[in-house]
Amino acid sequence: MAAVNGKPASAYSISNPFRTKILAGEICPVMSVKLVANNEIAMACKMAGIYGMFIDMEHSTLDLRDVSQLILACNYVGVSPIVRVPSKSHWHISKAFDAGAAAVVVPHVESVEEVRGLVRAAKFAPLGVRGCVNGQPIFNFQTVPTKIQNEILNRETMLIPMIETPGAVDLVDEILAIDGVDGILIGSNDLTTDMGIPGQYDDEAYQAAVTKIVLAGKKAGKPIGIGGIGPRTDLLEKWFAMGASWSLSGQDLGTLQAGMKKIGENYRAISERVQKTKNEQNGN
């Protein structure tokens, strides 16, 4: 395309470090945010070396206003905002992208036709029917020629369906083959629950399902993420070695609680030592 407003098409770009890293074969941790609505959490992720923030609208009380501000903070500090929308509704998907999401994760996908519908909502023509609007937050509110904007966003923002049932596992190759699907996230807790083995991550059936998805992603050349087992780094490392590239590695509330628990344990230990010393001094 010829220069527009004095700029060549190559002058327009978005920042999506999460996508850049996983497509380059790097392993990427992702921080889940369900509780903290303050923008400081984005910089905290950046300073911790975490370049993807999973903003969870499915399992939280965060509303679109909260989410939009977290997205802006992520984009300005250089962390990819990954939004899990609360449903498969087209307006949830398009609003998250219009708010500036670098990736949208859609839960509870059950059929190939459902996934095709998600692509229609998430992508501009010719892939989909997403409505066009300029001044996109992910472009830092620049005015970008529509053709250039749509091409970049179709290519560099990500639609990621979740596989959370055995039926969806069976469809993984067909789902990954759909143009406009940019990867898959495995929902381990819902998957094991639907399999009748809730939380049993060492079960052979669960592990076989995850392995099948990871290898399908490697074959299709599309990144696979694993959710729900952040503390099980032994399992994650196994699947990373097979070709998975990211995981939901921790969440704001759990991280805060772990830190607070450690403080409590430290002070209880100090108290016990001090009391022991006092007892010895008093001859008790």
Side-chain angles (χ1 to χ4, degrees), residues 30-32 54 84 185 226-231 236 246-250:
V30 173
M31 181 72 177
S32 295
F54 190 83
R84 175 160 64 181
L185 174 62
I226 304 172
I229 60 167
L236 288 171
W246 64 284
S247 74
L248 302 185
S249 313

Side-chain angles (χ1 to χ4, degrees), residues 33 59 71 83 106 139 211 216 231 237 240:
V33 171
H59 295 301
I71 287 171
V83 179
V106 185
F139 279 108
T211 297
E237 186 166 348
F240 289 151

Side-chain angles (χ1 to χ4, degrees), residues 131-177:
C132 300
V133 63
N134 216 298
Q136 292 271 345
I138 199 166
F139 279 108
N140 296 330
F141 301 106
Q142 296 178 83
T143 298
V144 181
T146 302
K147 185 178 188 302
I148 296 174
Q149 169 192 273
N150 293 1
E151 288 176 351
I152 291 174
L153 296 184
N154 271 2
R155 181 178 66 248
E156 297 185 25
T157 60
M158 304 180 75
L159 172 67
I160 304 174
M162 289 191 73
I163 286 184
E164 303 179 85
T165 65
V169 173
D170 292 339
L171 297 172
V172 62
D173 291 304
E174 293 176 70
I175 291 170
L176 286 167

Side-chain angles (χ1 to χ4, degrees), residues 9-147:
S10 59
Y12 297 96
S13 64
I14 63 171
S15 174
N16 190 350
F18 164 73
R19 176 179 180 271
T20 299
K21 287 179 178 294
I22 61 177
L23 292 186
E26 296 183 36
I27 306 304
C28 191
V30 173
M31 181 72 177
S32 295
V33 171
K34 300 181 180 184
L35 176 71
V36 179
N38 288 9
N39 291 343
E40 289 87 350
I41 191 68
M43 181 57 78
C45 284
K46 176 68 175 291
M47 298 307 293
I50 297 172
Y51 291 92
M53 194 167 89
F54 190 83
I55 305 169
D56 192 356
M57 295 185 74
E58 184 189 13
H59 295 301
S60 78
T61 59
L62 295 174
D63 61 23
L64 189 59
R65 176 66 178 173
D66 297 326
V67 169
S68 70
Q69 297 306 295
L70 288 170
I71 287 171
L72 288 176
C74 285
N75 283 329
Y76 283 128
V77 304
V79 172
S80 294
I82 305 160
V83 179
R84 175 160 64 181
V85 292
S87 79
K88 295 184 280 279
S89 299
H90 67 85
W91 55 85
H92 280 141
I93 296 167
S94 62
K95 279 183 176 291
F97 275 125
D98 283 345
V104 168
V105 173
V106 185
H108 306 296
V109 167
E110 295 287 349
S111 72
V112 170
E113 188 51 44
E114 276 186 343
V115 178
R116 291 196 179 104
L118 303 182
V119 172
R120 286 192 290 272
K123 302 292 185 178
F124 300 108
L127 288 176
V129 295
R130 178 182 167 192
C132 300
V133 63
N134 216 298
Q136 292 271 345
I138 199 166
F139 279 108
N140 296 330
F141 301 106
Q142 296 178 83
T143 298
V144 181
T146 302
K147 185 178 188 302

